[in-house]
Amino acid sequence: MWGRQREASMMYKRTSSRDRSSTFDVEETTVTKLFERSLSLVLVFLLALVQNGTEVENTNPSWKLSFPHVLVATLSSFLFGYHLGVVNEPLESISLDLGFNGNTLAEGLVVSMCLGGAFIGSTLSGWIADGVGRRRAFQLCALPMIIGASISATTRNLIGMLLGRFVVGTGMGLGPTVAALYVTEVSPPFVRGTYGAFIQIATCLGLMGSLLIGIPVKEIAGWWRICFWVSIVPAAILCLAMVFCAESPHWLYKKGRTAEAEAEFEKLLGGSHVKSSLAELSKLDRGDDGDIVKFEELLYGRHFRVVFIGSTLFALQQLSGINAIFYFSSSVFKSAGLSSGLANVFVGIANLLGSVVAMVLMDKLGRKALLQWSFFSMAVSMAIQVAASSSYIPGSASLYLSVGGMLMFVLTFALGAGPVPSLLLPEIFPSRIRAKAMAVCDKFLCGPAVFATVGATRATALVFYIWNLLLNGSGFCKKKCCGNQRKITPRN
């Protein structure tokens, strides 16, 4: 009996061990399969992450879609720069032909009357841009430039010239505000800073173009009239090309025209980015309570601080002295023995070079860093020019320092103080007040420039007189007194 039990137990043990081994094999196979499945799931997850990261990197819309629209919009900035400098070279010929040669007040008015019109245009620009849209605002900007340039080109007296310059100025005042709004609202975020720098570059090209076109004015009689006729061509192109450009989706959405805003987003960013752009737009406009903005809201209340910052930036931009540099650089270069034409070329190149560098760095370093370094470098360049006018610097070194400091000033101005305010302000203003707040801030762009240009000659003469009196006058008096003291003999 014990033998049977032992055999049975041995049979049980053998059977259970085989079963156990087969069970272990099954469990091992199951674990292996689970491990393989888990590994495959992890690999699929990692692959999905990689693909998702690639998609995130490629989610930026193509810049090529919005680039033509921005390029057309910057024609208004080109015209602003052109009309700002169109009378610099031909001013002497204009004064001779129209009979006010030697009248410095009349010459100052011819130069600055466009800025007086720009003050009016900038005041109304926000209400026009919000009322008729950005595209029609561009067309309204081009229309007075065509009419005013025609009046200036055909006039036979000073009154006609002043009238033409004033009419052109109204378009000049409307253009910068609308251009800054339009470029900000149609540009993809990742290239918005680069596109914003195009405004400054276009202004530089306009200034350089007006200076280059004015070169033959001393050899060809009546060439100054051609200079005004030429400006009609880009103004007409701006007016006609805007028919084919996209309207601002922000403005359309604000007016409740959501379907049209979707169509414009598709034209500017591509069909795959329409929903996300509309969602972002609705998120930005969530806090807006109505679209009627009173002028008083911009001067006090919750919007006062941001409007004050914008106005201060534009005021500092104009009070920095850049207009004096542009209008009196030729006299500094003449004192250094260089021609005025060469001076204009150097200043234009420095301005254009700084704008191109700003375009490259705008989206990499940020707006604030460019502004800080720009104003700091401008202060350094002014210190160099002050040192150049000191009596302790020899004559040749003084001239080189003056010219170098002036070119450094223009270069550093174009790096930040020039392009950043017009780009930064539309980004920080709420969409509800954006256009009208830009109009208020643009008053500080045109206002100081008007008074600075009208009295530029007298103000510059007064500054140089006081500076020479402080630096050289005291030394001159000491020398004369010392000489007199040597001649004085005491009384017996």
Side-chain angles (χ1 to χ4, degrees), residues 232-244:
I232 295 179
V233 177
I237 293 174
L238 174 63
C239 189
L240 294 175
M242 268 298 154
V243 177
F244 305 99

Side-chain angles (χ1 to χ4, degrees), residues 4 58 71 150 161 163 173 221 241 301 338 341 365 483-484:
R4 290 178 183 175
N58 297 328
L71 198 63
S150 303
M161 175 60 68
L163 177 62
L338 301 174
L365 297 182
N484 290 335

Side-chain angles (χ1 to χ4, degrees), residues 287-299:
D288 293 347
D289 48 353
D291 50 353
I292 299 177
V293 181
K294 295 182 180 180
F295 185 74
E296 292 79 7
E297 290 185 54
L298 306 178
L299 300 182

